[in-house]
Structures are given as structure tokens and as C-alpha cells.
Amino acid sequence: MNLAYKDVKQNLARFLLTAAGIGFLLMAAIGMIGVYRGIVEDALLVINKVGADLWIVQGERDGPFAESSSIASHIDQRAAGLTGVEKVRRFVQFSQQFAHEGKSLRASITGLDYPTDSGEWFALTNGRYIQSGHFEAIADAATGLSLGAKVRLGKDDFTIVGTTRGMVDPSGDGMVFVTINDATAIASTRTSEQVLLARAKTGTIATQGSVSQDSKIAAVLITLSPGASLETVRASAMRWGDVNVITQNEQRDLLLNKRLARLRTQILAFTGVLLVVTAIVVSLIIYTLTMEKRNQIALLKLIGARDSVIINMIAQEAALIGLSGFGLALIIANLLFPLFPRRVAMMPADLGTLFVFLALICALASWVGIAQAMKIRAQEVLS
């Protein structure tokens, strides 16, 4: 006869409520870890997908994903002349707020160095890649723009020729891909008053067509030829003196250990608090269940039941509560998290680690209950 099963069946409502409480605590822990993982995935999305071996950025800066970076637009021509360089692309990315169909939308404008780069490094859900040098765009579903939509960016109208899903920047804003020339034009858009004031300040003659603009190129991406030495190409570019050259791994390290370091510490601390609360709750529940069964445990001892029978009953109850709570947490998380506005990434390794922690918590709670059960004497059944 399985005493744990009998006890759970007799107090099914209490068991379900207990499992639900544990499940929601675990779901919160899964969510906190998943939010961090999602932020990391979003932050590394472009770095991982774009396939650049080296990033040339502004001198003494750490690149566009760690801090602002602005380099001369002709740096790509210098880079193309280096031995061992197969492909060079200019890169720019900035946030832009714009109006569409009466709504105020926000997107991360990302420049593609067309025709070298039409965007084949990311997958489309609908439509096609950019096939024109101007006024075509690919939008992520997070922006709210659909295939075929006309949207005004800067002073020009763009047609959405393709859509993606999951292409967002570290802030969670959906990306809109345009050619890099269009991107720089959007970034440098000024009102008429700003142009007039700038001309007055610089003394530019009013008849001239425009006011000079600063470079808006954030970086130049280098793809090396097969067999080329990364360090040799990097050292050659560093000798220019006006730029910094960062490898793909260094970009990842800058994001994870500098930009996201505090966020990671905070989320891990909060998750640790949730696990401590879960441990306390499970321990208290097992302790209470054990104390409520003092007479039954005393009776079992009186009729000669072995200690292992009592120990198994308490341990199995703790395991049932833990497994039920973990299963419920997974079900709720899979139903609820896809509805969240930001990506919540549930990694199997994280879930496995959390399950190990839960097993340790249940073992600790069982030990508390078993320790109390072993103190109960058989004579107590007569009191």
C-alpha cells in the first residue's frame, strides 16, 4: 500500500493548491531566467547572424552595441584593400519613431550595404529581400508593419517588401532593414528650420543645396578570406590609428560582461530569492503535513511499521509536490510566455538546473519532515 498516494488522495484539494503555489513560484523563476536569456539572444542576434569576423568601429570605442560609434563612410574602401579581406560591409543601426496609419511606431532602423548585402543572413517569413537601392524595406512583425505597407521614414515613402519574425534589437524594438544609403538619409533628416539655423551658424550660402552632415556609419564589417589570419588583418587595420577593431567574440564579451552584467546579477539575485522562498514554502508544507499525521505515524510505529515506511511516505509526498509544481510551472510558462511583449527564452539547460535545485529543495524539506517524524513516539497514539 502506498501511504503517500493514499494521503494525497485523501487531501487532494490541499495537495493541488500546494502544487499550484509551488508551480507559480517556479514559473516566476523560469520567467526571470527566460527574460534574461531572451535579452541576451536579442542583444547577440545581429552579431551572431551577420557573419562578420571583424568589426571596425570608432577609435577608442567598443562598438555600436556597447556605446555610440561613428566612423568615416570611406573606411570600407580602406578595409577592402587589406590582404585577406573577402567582403566588406558598412553597418548602421539606430532607433527611429515614426507615424503609420495614425499610430506612433518605433523601430530599429538597420542599414544593409546593398547590393553587397541584401539581407540574406536573416530569414524571411513573407515577401522577398531588398532588390532596389532605394525605398524598399524589410520589417519585423514586432514593428506592426505588414507586407506591402507604405511607411514614411524621414522624408521618403518606403514599401515593405519582406517581413521577418524575432529580429529585434537589445531594447526589444523590431528591426526595419533598408539600404544603408536610405538609412543614412533617414538618420540625417532635418526640418527646414534646422537646415536654416545650421546654414546661418556655418555661414553657408543659402543657395547651396544642403548642409554638411556628420558620418552616420557605425561600423564596417569584415569577412575574411578562407585561411586568412584574423590577427594579421586586425593588426593592419589598427595601424591606421583612427579606428578600433573588435572580433566577433569580443563583441559578445562586451555585451554579456559589460552592458548586461548588472542585469544578469540582478536577475540571478531575484531568482535566488525566489528559490529560497520556494525552499521555505515546501519545507513548511512538508513539516505541517507531517505534524498533522502525528497520530497516524504513532499508530504505524505501534503496529511495528519500519522507519523506512514512514521515511518513504514523507519523501514521496515531497517528491510529488515538487514534480507536480514543476510540471504545472512548465505548462503555464509555455502557455503564458509567448504572449509576453519581450522574448522569454526557456533553455533546456536552465530548466534542468532549476529541476536539480527543486530536487535539492524537496530533499531538504523531506529531511525536515523525517526528522520530526522520527521524534514521534508510539505511545503518543494513546494520548
Side-chain angles (χ1 to χ4, degrees):
M1 181 173 63
N2 190 310
L3 294 178
Y5 172 73
K6 291 290 182 184
D7 188 57
V8 168
K9 189 176 179 181
Q10 189 174 0
N11 301 287
L12 184 61
R14 184 176 60 185
F15 173 80
L16 292 177
L17 287 173
T18 302
I22 301 299
F24 277 102
L25 282 172
L26 292 174
M27 184 205 68
I30 293 172
M32 291 301 297
I33 298 171
V35 166
Y36 171 72
R37 292 294 188 190
I39 291 173
V40 169
E41 279 193 18
D42 293 343
L44 298 179
L45 196 60
V46 172
I47 297 172
N48 289 336
K49 286 182 176 291
V50 77
D53 298 307
L54 291 171
W55 292 65
I56 298 179
V57 301
Q58 185 175 344
E60 300 183 349
R61 296 290 180 99
D62 287 333
F65 301 111
E67 55 185 332
S68 62
S69 173
S70 181
I71 60 175
S73 57
H74 59 77
I75 294 290
D76 61 319
Q77 298 171 17
R78 279 199 236 165
L82 295 174
T83 303
V85 173
E86 181 178 276
K87 186 166 67 174
V88 173
R89 289 169 287 172
R90 294 170 293 169
F91 177 83
V92 65
Q93 188 177 62
F94 56 90
S95 295
Q96 180 84 10
Q97 200 153 330
F98 55 94
H100 179 64
E101 295 182 344
K103 298 178 182 177
S104 179
L105 303 179
R106 183 178 175 84
S108 179
I109 306 295
T110 304
L112 299 176
D113 199 354
Y114 182 84
T116 305
D117 183 3
S118 299
E120 286 86 353
W121 48 274
F122 55 82
L124 295 180
T125 53
N126 285 302
R128 59 172 174 79
Y129 293 104
I130 288 176
Q131 296 178 355
S132 173
H134 291 289
F135 312 135
E136 288 190 350
I138 299 171
D140 187 80
T143 62
L145 300 173
S146 57
L147 187 66
K150 299 279 187 182
V151 59
R152 191 164 187 81
L153 299 171
K155 293 186 176 181
D156 299 302
D157 292 326
F158 288 76
T159 302
I160 306 300
V161 298
T163 58
T164 65
R165 185 171 294 280
M167 294 299 296
V168 298
D169 69 359
S171 302
D173 293 332
M175 294 185 193
V176 171
F177 298 92
V178 297
T179 65
I180 200 156
N181 291 331
D182 285 341
T184 53
I186 294 168
S188 61
T189 299
R190 299 183 180 187
T191 63
S192 301
E193 288 75 12
Q194 287 177 309
V195 173
L196 291 173
L197 289 172
R199 285 174 178 170
K201 183 177 180 181
T202 60
T204 305
I205 299 173
T207 54
Q208 289 184 354
S210 63
V211 177
S212 61
Q213 303 283 340
D214 296 332
S215 169
K216 295 296 180 182
I217 302 301
V220 169
L221 316 185
I222 291 179
T223 303
L224 300 179
S225 304
S229 170
L230 183 143
E231 289 303 326
T232 301
V233 176
R234 181 184 191 181
S236 299
M238 288 293 287
R239 280 195 288 271
W240 298 341
D242 59 343
V243 299
N244 188 21
V245 185
I246 303 171
T247 66
Q248 189 180 43
N249 288 334
E250 287 174 341
Q251 283 276 29
R252 293 195 188 102
D253 184 65
L254 284 168
L255 273 172
L256 295 178
N257 296 323
K258 287 189 176 179
R259 184 170 176 179
L260 300 178
R262 289 186 178 181
L263 177 65
R264 179 175 60 219
T265 303
Q266 186 161 333
I267 286 179
L268 288 177
F270 193 74
T271 304
V273 170
L274 282 176
L275 291 176
V276 170
V277 172
T278 304
I280 293 171
V281 169
V282 174
S283 299
L284 283 174
I285 289 169
I286 297 299
Y287 177 81
T288 304
L289 290 174
T290 304
M291 291 297 100
E292 286 180 351
K293 291 193 286 288
R294 290 184 68 93
N295 285 336
Q296 292 89 332
I297 292 172
L299 182 59
L300 286 171
K301 289 186 175 183
L302 185 65
I303 63 177
R306 297 188 302 273
D307 287 345
S308 60
V309 173
I310 300 170
I311 291 171
N312 284 336
M313 178 185 70
I314 296 172
Q316 288 171 4
E317 280 192 359
L320 282 173
I321 289 172
L323 287 173
S324 302
F326 191 74
L328 184 64
L330 287 180
I331 292 171
I332 298 173
N334 279 288
L335 292 174
L336 197 61
F337 291 163
L339 304 177
F340 280 24
R342 290 295 304 264
R343 192 197 309 266
V344 181
M346 294 190 292
M347 312 293 286
D350 293 335
L351 296 177
T353 304
L354 192 61
F355 184 79
V356 171
F357 273 108
L358 180 63
L360 293 174
I361 288 170
C362 290
L364 175 65
S366 300
W367 177 78
V368 172
I370 290 168
Q372 293 301 318
M374 292 301 102
K375 295 178 182 175
I376 298 173
R377 296 178 302 150
Q379 293 85 342
E380 291 185 23
V381 73
L382 302 175
S383 61

